Amino acid sequence: MSHGRRAAALALATTLTLALRTGSAQQEPSQHSQQDHSQHGPAQDPAQHGHAGHGNQPAAGPKAKAPAKKQAPGAHDKHGGHTPSQGQKGSAAKHAGHAVPKPRGPQHAGHAAPKSGAPQYTGDHTTTDHGMKGFLGPYGMNREGSGTSWLPDTTPHEGIHGQIGEWTTMWHALFNGVYDQQGGPRGGQKTFGNGMVMGMAQRAMGDGTFGVRAMLAPDPFMGASGYPLLLATGETANGRTALVDRQHPHDLFMELAATYSYNLSSNSSFFLYAGLPGEPALGPPTFMHRTSGMDIPEAPISHHWLDSTHITFGVLTAGLVMDKWKVEASAFRGREPDQHRFDLEAPKLDSFAARVTWNPIRELSMQVSAGRLRSPEQLEPGVDEDRLTASATYTQPFGEGNLWSSTVAWGRKTQRPGKTLDGFLFESALLFQKTYTLFARAERVDENELFRDVLGFDNRVFTVNKITVGGIYDFPVHDHMKFGLGGLVSMYSLPSEIKPFYGHDAISYMLFARIKMQ
């Protein structure tokens, strides 16, 4: 193994070890399950509270006096949701050291207080009371996706939380072991691992919040050529030939970023974001951060139409949050990562993007973004790209322990000089009782890179379609870890001209096992 790979493996192992120690060393996260965190919350200021169950700071500790012995009937049916009677305001407010949240009205970030006995989304997708607020503004952490993107406020915020001095911390991880069999003459098979481990920390700084994030991936260890994935294109394995019908591995360092947000009012802020690497204000949240797509172990073939800039070496973003609206602009390096996946590349600010995001209701997030990318492809340095994207994500908890999330997205690449190419995506996931996950993804893209070296087909545009369906069964290991077994099947609809290359009825499948720590 080369020195670079040894250092990369050490960095990944060290990050995971520190995260495990951080999570286990904190008294509250180790002593309470996620259900407990969702039920025992500190007193909160509605102006700073963006989602039910997310407090501003953890409770000070069990120093309060015991509650009065006489209680109104049913006072303990929902511990942490009880309201003191007229004669108990002084004592019940400090019941077992847990302050009673202030009443939440309809104006409170769109969240009404749950009725007693009403089903709540609990378990490993619980909205936990961990003291971590949004990095970019005065709202709940649930709203934030990859980079500076937004998700619906009903998005589960999964992670292991802790406190180190004045820093509030969170980390989570996902590792997949995959057997991949892509059908037809241009298919192939491979066994590989992918996933990510992510850690973040934040602290108050004046009237704002300072935060840092790091996300690492084991993908580079699968090899420079990535894994077989029919109809996928983009990037290179050796700096000379393009990857076609293969998904490139992501870099070891997917994000190393810092943020600062300054609160302008109870529901507005100004923020700055810098990353090396980072993610500019372009496209929807990347697929591995969307609830509708994060459990699918393969990348979308529309990745380079929508969210391929999620690993960009050099990003500066400034933005303004105004309640349910966010407006932001980025300067960043347009060139995609090269074939050296273990290093950090030199930053450059030669490209620009802007995005407007609107969360009209707590279940829905919509964005429109546009960017000019300078020389994004290493093998076509003289070609720039204009990119335009629009997307909507809807996430709805239902029943007890169930969740449905869907994303629809469109992206357009206009090559200068070159073609104008559209890509469409719809994906959806249903999660039942913390155990069963069903998912589906449908895509349609205009491809001009599938036949670079085939005479008569090179640089021609072919519209191709793919649909993927699958599922996962999870076994709980402990409060913050689960093990899952899953599979997926993909089918294709292709123009008749290219069917001889791919086969008339090509079918692909993946079998996988995963470990999820959250």
Side-chain angles (χ1 to χ4, degrees), residues 133-401:
K133 63 184 290 293
F135 278 66
L136 308 180
Y139 50 75
M141 187 65 193
N142 301 56
R143 187 182 293 186
E144 295 187 348
S146 57
T148 58
S149 64
W150 273 4
L151 294 162
D153 290 303
T154 50
T155 302
H157 180 57
E158 301 172 326
I160 301 172
H161 300 268
Q163 195 76 22
I164 302 177
E166 297 182 353
W167 291 88
T168 302
T169 64
M170 188 278 286
W171 76 276
H172 61 109
L174 170 66
F175 299 103
N176 297 307
V178 184
Y179 173 76
D180 175 16
Q181 177 68 60
Q182 300 290 297
R186 300 188 73 166
Q189 68 85 27
K190 183 171 184 174
T191 301
F192 64 92
N194 65 8
M196 61 89 185
V197 56
M198 184 174 187
M200 58 182 68
Q202 64 175 220
R203 58 166 295 169
M205 183 175 288
D207 290 331
T209 301
F210 176 73
V212 291
R213 307 179 193 172
M215 181 163 61
L216 284 74
D219 294 32
F221 297 99
M222 73 174 66
S225 62
Y227 58 90
L229 190 66
L230 292 183
L231 307 181
T233 59
E235 302 192 19
T236 177
N238 55 16
R240 299 182 302 276
T241 57
L243 287 169
V244 178
D245 294 313
R246 300 188 74 87
Q247 168 62 34
H248 62 81
H250 290 114
D251 282 41
L252 171 69
F253 298 103
M254 299 178 74
E255 184 180 35
L256 298 172
T259 63
Y260 178 73
S261 63
Y262 180 82
N263 294 334
L264 302 174
S265 70
S266 62
N267 62 3
S268 64
S269 64
F270 171 79
F271 69 84
L272 296 172
Y273 168 96
L276 182 69
E279 180 178 331
L282 181 60
T286 190
F287 67 92
M288 61 192 67
H289 288 268
R290 300 189 296 259
T291 305
S292 58
M294 65 171 56
D295 290 315
I296 306 176
E298 65 175 22
I301 61 171
S302 56
H303 183 44
H304 285 261
W305 279 255
L306 298 172
D307 51 7
S308 62
T309 54
H310 69 112
I311 303 177
T312 297
F313 285 96
V315 180
L316 289 177
T317 300
L320 185 65
V321 173
M322 298 165 289
D323 195 12
K324 299 178 180 180
W325 292 85
K326 176 168 61 70
V327 181
E328 55 191 321
S330 298
F332 61 99
R333 193 182 88 155
R335 176 64 58 85
E336 294 176 340
D338 62 21
Q339 70 273 22
H340 305 293
R341 304 292 178 179
F342 292 93
D343 63 355
L344 294 175
E345 300 178 36
K348 184 184 293 184
L349 302 179
D350 57 7
S351 302
F352 305 93
R355 179 168 58 197
V356 177
T357 309
W358 181 36
N359 285 24
I361 57 175
R362 60 194 299 264
E363 296 85 4
L364 180 64
S365 181
M366 300 183 288
Q367 68 84 31
V368 176
S369 56
R372 165 65 64 89
L373 284 70
R374 173 82 171 167
S375 184
E377 292 286 349
Q378 181 179 352
L379 301 181
E380 295 181 333
V383 178
D384 295 340
E385 181 184 305
D386 290 343
R387 187 176 297 182
L388 181 63
T389 81
S391 66
T393 296
Y394 182 84
T395 300
Q396 177 65 66
F398 64 96
E400 185 173 355

Side-chain angles (χ1 to χ4, degrees), residues 3-226:
H3 292 295
R5 293 195 176 190
R6 289 175 180 171
L10 180 60
L12 189 61
T14 301
T15 301
L16 185 57
T17 302
L18 289 175
L20 283 166
R21 288 183 177 178
T22 299
S24 62
Q26 307 310 314
Q27 185 175 2
E28 285 201 8
S30 64
Q31 291 182 348
H32 298 290
S33 68
Q34 290 180 335
Q35 290 92 332
D36 292 331
H37 279 278
S38 66
Q39 293 171 350
H40 300 278
Q44 299 173 21
D45 183 351
Q48 295 180 345
H49 178 80
H51 196 284
H54 287 262
N56 189 39
Q57 292 295 335
K63 295 182 180 181
K65 298 178 180 178
K69 293 183 180 179
K70 294 182 180 181
Q71 304 247 352
H76 283 279
D77 288 348
K78 288 289 183 180
H79 184 80
H82 56 277
T83 304
S85 63
Q86 292 294 326
Q88 293 175 316
K89 293 182 180 179
S91 60
K94 297 182 179 180
H95 180 65
H98 297 278
V100 176
K102 297 179 181 180
R104 304 182 180 111
Q107 76 279 9
H108 180 60
H111 299 277
K115 296 179 181 180
S116 178
Q120 300 181 43
Y121 193 66
T122 60
D124 49 49
H125 292 283
T126 298
T127 304
T128 57
D129 185 8
H130 46 66
M132 181 168 278
K133 63 184 290 293
F135 278 66
L136 308 180
Y139 50 75
M141 187 65 193
N142 301 56
R143 187 182 293 186
E144 295 187 348
S146 57
T148 58
S149 64
W150 273 4
L151 294 162
D153 290 303
T154 50
T155 302
H157 180 57
E158 301 172 326
I160 301 172
H161 300 268
Q163 195 76 22
I164 302 177
E166 297 182 353
W167 291 88
T168 302
T169 64
M170 188 278 286
W171 76 276
H172 61 109
L174 170 66
F175 299 103
N176 297 307
V178 184
Y179 173 76
D180 175 16
Q181 177 68 60
Q182 300 290 297
R186 300 188 73 166
Q189 68 85 27
K190 183 171 184 174
T191 301
F192 64 92
N194 65 8
M196 61 89 185
V197 56
M198 184 174 187
M200 58 182 68
Q202 64 175 220
R203 58 166 295 169
M205 183 175 288
D207 290 331
T209 301
F210 176 73
V212 291
R213 307 179 193 172
M215 181 163 61
L216 284 74
D219 294 32
F221 297 99
M222 73 174 66
S225 62

Side-chain angles (χ1 to χ4, degrees), residues 470-505:
I472 307 168
Y473 182 84
D474 283 309
F475 305 85
V477 177
H478 65 69
D479 287 346
H480 297 297
M481 180 183 293
K482 58 184 178 180
F483 172 78
L485 295 174
L488 63 84
V489 176
S490 298
M491 294 165 285
Y492 313 89
S493 175
L494 308 173
S496 58
E497 289 181 272
I498 66 174
K499 283 186 177 180
F501 294 93
Y502 285 93
H504 290 272
D505 298 302

